[in-house]
Amino acid sequence: MKKMNEKKRTFLWMTIPIMILFFCFNTLPLIRGMIYSFTNFKGFGSYEWVGLRNYINLFRDARVGNSYLFTFKLAIVTTIVVNVISMIMALALNGKIKGKSFFRGAYFLPNVLGALVVGYIFNYLFTYIIPAFGKVIGSSALQSSILASENNAWIGIVIVCAWQSIAMNTIIYISGLQTIPEDVFEAGALDGATGFQKFKSLIFPLILPFFTINMVLCVKNFLMVFDQIMALTKGGPAQSTESISYLIYNNGMSGGQFGFQCANAVIFFIVIVIVSVTQMNILGKKEEQL
Amino acid sequence: MKIKSKGINRTNWPVMILLIIGLVTIIFPLYMTIVIALKQPSEMTNSIQGILSLPEKFSLANFAEAMRVTDFWHSLGYSLIITLITVALSIVLHSMIGYAVGRNKTKSKGYNFIYLYIVSGMFVPFAILMMPLVKQTAQLGLDNWVGVIILYVVFYMPMNLLLYSGYLKNIPVGLEEAAYMDGSSTWRTYWKIIFPIMKPMHATVAVLTALGTWNDVMTPLVIMSGSGSNTLPLAQLTFQTQFGTNYNLAFASYLLALLPILAFYLICQKQILNGVVNGAIK
């Protein structure tokens, strides 16, 4: 009996202090953020309760609305681009090629580099190299920087996000492909399954769990995009590339909208939870069916 | 059996060639960074050849200047300290709570609640914590690198708890039971038996936590920027204005910021790839 108590006590000592730390620096600021969202706090000085006014104003604020539209557009397009290319890359890297580990290592490289510095390098590439290249081949579309265009700057951000994320998703798809036994392919080959058909009916269903992981990872990461925006456009031109995180940071920390942006952050939190949970449910159900 | 002889044990050359061409997308940005970092502003012209040609003479002057401007060694030092301490604390603390929670969550509602409570922290975006945390760390005097470490230990807890408690499922309880029978305490059993057995998971946790903290900008940006010290990525952000239009200097600085992680990747490529894959799939 004494032994049992010793065990219980030790387990509690292993858990409680760490849990308190988690509470203090995760749950407590979360609660405080929710409280601030009902005030007109500017980040300094005194403040008072404003009830739901911040939330009502959020839905009327065009800048906030645009940042949600931009962020979702970016997340959806980048997720599709990244997953299509990653899948192709994974099939290629898992195929019959020489120097497999070299190629895998090389193609994974972008993922370990810091997003901010990568953003700065691509910023230069978009601003100087591509326009200079446009001059050489005489294309007027390429001669101005993509990042300076209100309509197209987001494409630049998609490219940079994709460049780094494809590496990660490819590696996950490769490990998915490696779980498929060799005889599945051979059986498929005997049945005459080739090309896209083979992929659709044989390979894809078997790596569906890895597809789920990639979808959830991608959407969540891209919805929270920040570094790339900071390095490439700082939300411009004309606020056309302001992501939600960037807007909260920019206006909340230095724009005197502390309380208002806290309300924005609460909505953002709810959106992330809804998106992640829905995604896992839909994709989870699909997996069960198979 | 025509298909078989065609498909197996043969190198697929078209794919191979496409893969080699594709490498350009990886190599070109890096080549550009290196070339520009080695040149002087006078060597740069607006034409594409002018930008991408090799430097006329090899000079490390830009690097020396970039190191001075961004206070490179101090930033590197802070980045190293923050990453190393975060990784060490994560391995010790997260494996401990992972063990306690992982072993008890099926039997005890309380531990199961703690498990769900911490793991659901994964859904909390930094954006909502950011503003209150700036106030809170300032009030506690933690608006510096120490505060950043504490925050990282908290932010990586959900993922690492998930990883450790998942890994524990593969370790039979009988192992610990035997140790208890011999009179070993729970605490001792954990350190002597469980902690060493979880070594593969320690490697995964170390890789994921290290990559995440090393490259992170947002946390040091909001917590440390008033303290006068920088991490390596933060220094690039802080000194953007000082580089002005001297891109050669800026690129030397970017390259310096990328070098440590590049070197680490070249040395530990296998462990990093394994770690990343394990972390994502578990």
Short mmCIF file of all heavy atoms in Angstrom, two decimals, chain B residues 132-160:
data_model
loop_
_atom_site.label_atom_id
_atom_site.label_comp_id
_atom_site.label_asym_id
_atom_site.label_seq_id
_atom_site.Cartn_x
_atom_site.Cartn_y
_atom_site.Cartn_z
N PRO B 132 -1.36 39.47 -24.85
CA PRO B 132 -1.31 39.30 -23.39
C PRO B 132 0.08 38.88 -22.90
O PRO B 132 0.50 39.30 -21.82
CB PRO B 132 -2.33 38.20 -23.13
CG PRO B 132 -3.24 38.22 -24.30
CD PRO B 132 -2.41 38.65 -25.46
N LEU B 133 0.80 38.06 -23.68
CA LEU B 133 2.10 37.58 -23.23
C LEU B 133 3.12 38.73 -23.14
O LEU B 133 3.99 38.71 -22.27
CB LEU B 133 2.63 36.50 -24.16
CG LEU B 133 2.18 35.07 -23.85
CD1 LEU B 133 2.68 34.11 -24.91
CD2 LEU B 133 2.62 34.63 -22.46
N VAL B 134 3.01 39.69 -24.04
CA VAL B 134 3.92 40.83 -23.98
C VAL B 134 3.74 41.55 -22.64
O VAL B 134 4.72 41.88 -21.96
CB VAL B 134 3.66 41.79 -25.16
CG1 VAL B 134 4.43 43.08 -24.99
CG2 VAL B 134 4.04 41.13 -26.46
N LYS B 135 2.49 41.75 -22.24
CA LYS B 135 2.21 42.39 -20.94
C LYS B 135 2.73 41.51 -19.81
O LYS B 135 3.40 41.97 -18.89
CB LYS B 135 0.70 42.58 -20.77
CG LYS B 135 0.06 43.48 -21.78
CD LYS B 135 0.22 44.93 -21.41
CE LYS B 135 0.07 45.81 -22.63
NZ LYS B 135 0.83 47.04 -22.58
N GLN B 136 2.39 40.23 -19.88
CA GLN B 136 2.70 39.31 -18.78
C GLN B 136 4.21 39.15 -18.59
O GLN B 136 4.70 39.22 -17.47
CB GLN B 136 2.07 37.95 -19.08
CG GLN B 136 2.03 37.02 -17.89
CD GLN B 136 1.30 35.72 -18.24
OE1 GLN B 136 0.36 35.71 -19.03
NE2 GLN B 136 1.76 34.62 -17.66
N THR B 137 4.96 38.96 -19.68
CA THR B 137 6.40 38.78 -19.53
C THR B 137 7.05 40.07 -19.03
O THR B 137 8.00 40.02 -18.25
CB THR B 137 7.06 38.36 -20.86
OG1 THR B 137 6.63 39.24 -21.89
CG2 THR B 137 6.74 36.94 -21.23
N ALA B 138 6.52 41.22 -19.46
CA ALA B 138 7.08 42.48 -18.98
C ALA B 138 6.84 42.63 -17.48
O ALA B 138 7.73 43.04 -16.73
CB ALA B 138 6.47 43.65 -19.74
N GLN B 139 5.65 42.27 -17.01
CA GLN B 139 5.34 42.36 -15.58
C GLN B 139 6.23 41.45 -14.76
O GLN B 139 6.62 41.79 -13.65
CB GLN B 139 3.86 41.98 -15.34
CG GLN B 139 2.89 43.10 -15.68
CD GLN B 139 1.48 42.57 -15.95
OE1 GLN B 139 1.23 41.36 -15.87
NE2 GLN B 139 0.57 43.47 -16.30
N LEU B 140 6.57 40.29 -15.32
CA LEU B 140 7.38 39.32 -14.58
C LEU B 140 8.88 39.54 -14.77
O LEU B 140 9.69 38.80 -14.23
CB LEU B 140 7.03 37.89 -15.03
CG LEU B 140 5.61 37.42 -14.72
CD1 LEU B 140 5.31 36.12 -15.46
CD2 LEU B 140 5.40 37.23 -13.22
N GLY B 141 9.25 40.56 -15.56
CA GLY B 141 10.66 40.78 -15.86
C GLY B 141 11.23 39.70 -16.77
O GLY B 141 12.43 39.42 -16.76
N LEU B 142 10.36 39.07 -17.56
CA LEU B 142 10.82 37.98 -18.44
C LEU B 142 10.81 38.40 -19.90
O LEU B 142 10.78 37.56 -20.79
CB LEU B 142 9.92 36.76 -18.27
CG LEU B 142 10.05 35.99 -16.96
CD1 LEU B 142 8.98 34.93 -16.85
CD2 LEU B 142 11.44 35.36 -16.85
N ASP B 143 10.86 39.73 -20.16
CA ASP B 143 10.85 40.17 -21.55
C ASP B 143 12.26 40.12 -22.13
O ASP B 143 12.80 41.11 -22.58
CB ASP B 143 10.24 41.57 -21.69
CG ASP B 143 10.78 42.54 -20.65
OD1 ASP B 143 11.53 42.09 -19.75
OD2 ASP B 143 10.47 43.73 -20.73
N ASN B 144 12.86 38.94 -22.08
CA ASN B 144 14.23 38.73 -22.57
C ASN B 144 14.38 37.27 -23.00
O ASN B 144 13.39 36.56 -23.11
CB ASN B 144 15.23 39.06 -21.46
CG ASN B 144 14.86 38.37 -20.16
OD1 ASN B 144 14.35 37.25 -20.17
ND2 ASN B 144 15.10 39.03 -19.04
N TRP B 145 15.62 36.83 -23.23
CA TRP B 145 15.81 35.47 -23.76
C TRP B 145 15.33 34.39 -22.80
O TRP B 145 14.90 33.32 -23.23
CB TRP B 145 17.27 35.26 -24.16
CG TRP B 145 18.26 35.38 -23.03
CD1 TRP B 145 18.82 36.53 -22.57
CD2 TRP B 145 18.79 34.33 -22.23
NE1 TRP B 145 19.67 36.25 -21.53
CE2 TRP B 145 19.68 34.91 -21.31
CE3 TRP B 145 18.61 32.94 -22.21
CZ2 TRP B 145 20.37 34.16 -20.35
CZ3 TRP B 145 19.31 32.19 -21.26
CH2 TRP B 145 20.17 32.81 -20.36
N VAL B 146 15.37 34.65 -21.49
CA VAL B 146 14.87 33.65 -20.54
C VAL B 146 13.37 33.42 -20.75
O VAL B 146 12.88 32.28 -20.80
CB VAL B 146 15.14 34.09 -19.08
CG1 VAL B 146 14.62 33.04 -18.11
CG2 VAL B 146 16.61 34.35 -18.87
N GLY B 147 12.65 34.53 -20.92
CA GLY B 147 11.22 34.44 -21.18
C GLY B 147 10.92 33.67 -22.46
O GLY B 147 9.99 32.86 -22.51
N VAL B 148 11.74 33.92 -23.48
CA VAL B 148 11.55 33.23 -24.76
C VAL B 148 11.69 31.72 -24.56
O VAL B 148 10.88 30.94 -25.08
CB VAL B 148 12.54 33.76 -25.82
CG1 VAL B 148 12.50 32.90 -27.08
CG2 VAL B 148 12.22 35.20 -26.18
N ILE B 149 12.69 31.31 -23.78
CA ILE B 149 12.88 29.87 -23.52
C ILE B 149 11.65 29.28 -22.82
O ILE B 149 11.14 28.24 -23.20
CB ILE B 149 14.15 29.63 -22.68
CG1 ILE B 149 15.39 29.98 -23.51
CG2 ILE B 149 14.22 28.18 -22.20
CD1 ILE B 149 16.69 29.89 -22.75
N ILE B 150 11.18 29.99 -21.77
CA ILE B 150 10.01 29.48 -21.04
C ILE B 150 8.82 29.32 -22.00
O ILE B 150 8.12 28.31 -21.99
CB ILE B 150 9.64 30.44 -19.88
CG1 ILE B 150 10.76 30.44 -18.84
CG2 ILE B 150 8.32 30.04 -19.24
CD1 ILE B 150 10.58 31.44 -17.72
N LEU B 151 8.63 30.31 -22.85
CA LEU B 151 7.50 30.25 -23.78
C LEU B 151 7.64 29.08 -24.75
O LEU B 151 6.67 28.36 -25.02
CB LEU B 151 7.37 31.56 -24.57
CG LEU B 151 6.92 32.76 -23.74
CD1 LEU B 151 6.81 34.00 -24.61
CD2 LEU B 151 5.60 32.49 -23.06
N TYR B 152 8.86 28.86 -25.25
CA TYR B 152 9.06 27.73 -26.16
C TYR B 152 8.75 26.41 -25.46
O TYR B 152 8.13 25.52 -26.03
CB TYR B 152 10.50 27.70 -26.68
CG TYR B 152 10.78 28.70 -27.78
CD1 TYR B 152 12.04 29.28 -27.90
CD2 TYR B 152 9.80 29.08 -28.68
CE1 TYR B 152 12.32 30.20 -28.90
CE2 TYR B 152 10.07 29.99 -29.69
CZ TYR B 152 11.33 30.55 -29.79
OH TYR B 152 11.60 31.45 -30.78
N VAL B 153 9.22 26.27 -24.21
CA VAL B 153 8.96 25.03 -23.48
C VAL B 153 7.45 24.81 -23.37
O VAL B 153 6.96 23.69 -23.50
CB VAL B 153 9.62 25.06 -22.08
CG1 VAL B 153 9.15 23.90 -21.23
CG2 VAL B 153 11.14 25.03 -22.22
N VAL B 154 6.70 25.89 -23.19
CA VAL B 154 5.25 25.77 -23.10
C VAL B 154 4.63 25.49 -24.48
O VAL B 154 3.79 24.61 -24.62
CB VAL B 154 4.64 27.05 -22.48
CG1 VAL B 154 3.13 27.06 -22.62
CG2 VAL B 154 5.04 27.14 -21.01
N PHE B 155 5.10 26.21 -25.50
CA PHE B 155 4.49 26.07 -26.83
C PHE B 155 4.72 24.69 -27.44
O PHE B 155 3.90 24.19 -28.19
CB PHE B 155 5.04 27.12 -27.81
CG PHE B 155 4.67 28.52 -27.45
CD1 PHE B 155 5.41 29.60 -27.93
CD2 PHE B 155 3.60 28.78 -26.62
CE1 PHE B 155 5.07 30.89 -27.60
CE2 PHE B 155 3.24 30.08 -26.28
CZ PHE B 155 3.99 31.13 -26.76
N TYR B 156 5.87 24.08 -27.16
CA TYR B 156 6.16 22.77 -27.75
C TYR B 156 5.63 21.62 -26.91
O TYR B 156 5.73 20.47 -27.29
CB TYR B 156 7.66 22.61 -28.02
CG TYR B 156 8.08 23.39 -29.24
CD1 TYR B 156 8.55 24.68 -29.14
CD2 TYR B 156 7.91 22.84 -30.51
CE1 TYR B 156 8.87 25.42 -30.27
CE2 TYR B 156 8.22 23.56 -31.64
CZ TYR B 156 8.70 24.84 -31.52
OH TYR B 156 8.99 25.56 -32.64
N MET B 157 5.06 21.96 -25.72
CA MET B 157 4.57 20.90 -24.83
C MET B 157 3.46 20.06 -25.47
O MET B 157 3.53 18.82 -25.40
CB MET B 157 4.11 21.51 -23.51
CG MET B 157 4.11 20.52 -22.37
SD MET B 157 3.47 21.24 -20.86
CE MET B 157 4.71 22.43 -20.43
N PRO B 158 2.45 20.65 -26.11
CA PRO B 158 1.38 19.81 -26.68
C PRO B 158 1.91 18.76 -27.65
O PRO B 158 1.62 17.58 -27.50
CB PRO B 158 0.49 20.82 -27.41
CG PRO B 158 0.72 22.11 -26.72
CD PRO B 158 2.16 22.09 -26.29
N MET B 159 2.73 19.19 -28.61
CA MET B 159 3.24 18.27 -29.61
C MET B 159 4.12 17.19 -28.96
O MET B 159 3.98 16.00 -29.23
CB MET B 159 4.05 19.04 -30.65
CG MET B 159 4.63 18.17 -31.73
SD MET B 159 5.68 19.10 -32.87
CE MET B 159 7.16 19.35 -31.90
N ASN B 160 5.02 17.62 -28.08
CA ASN B 160 5.96 16.67 -27.49
C ASN B 160 5.28 15.70 -26.54
O ASN B 160 5.66 14.53 -26.46
CB ASN B 160 7.10 17.41 -26.78
CG ASN B 160 7.98 18.14 -27.77
OD1 ASN B 160 7.91 17.90 -28.97
ND2 ASN B 160 8.80 19.04 -27.28
#
